[in-house]
Amino acid sequence: MIQLTTAAKLENAINKARRVKPFVRVNRFGSYTVTNKQTGATYTVTCEKRDGKRFASCSCNAGERGNACYHVAAAVSAHIQIATEAASFTN
Ligand SMILES: [Zn+2]
């Protein structure tokens, strides 16, 4: 479980996601399947909010050790985009 605080904490993971450009599939809001198109490796990322804090978890080795991996960075950017679009319907 990774607590999402500042973008700076995710910076390395975000940079790697930009290089690798993994494919993010939305299972449902908060649950994503991230595929590395080069290796075919697929991991599941979940994003959730608890007590106003944002958390993400990933099924890869780094993610299971609580490290911010690029799968989380890629899924979080999709998650934020979906949340922003959903909010635009109610505003
Ligand atoms: Zn991961």
Side-chain angles (χ1 to χ4, degrees):
M1 191 73 76
I2 301 143
Q3 190 183 343
L4 303 171
T5 48
T6 61
K9 207 179 157 190
L10 270 180
E11 198 181 335
N12 288 340
I14 291 167
N15 287 338
K16 183 160 184 191
R18 284 195 182 122
R19 281 201 307 278
V20 176
K21 295 187 175 63
F23 177 71
V24 180
R25 198 186 62 170
V26 181
N27 301 319
R28 58 179 167 76
F29 184 66
S31 174
Y32 306 90
T33 299
V34 181
T35 303
N36 180 321
K37 286 179 281 189
Q38 281 84 47
T39 65
T42 294
Y43 301 101
T44 303
V45 176
T46 55
C47 301
E48 59 189 308
K49 217 173 180 181
R50 275 191 217 160
D51 303 326
K53 295 181 182 119
R54 289 161 210 277
F55 294 93
S57 59
C58 180
S59 60
C60 78
N61 286 333
E64 283 181 347
R65 289 197 302 267
N67 296 318
C69 56
Y70 73 91
H71 314 111
V72 163
V76 164
S77 81
H79 185 69
I80 290 168
Q81 205 177 328
I82 294 164
T84 305
E85 281 167 16
S88 73
F89 284 107
T90 55
N91 287 341

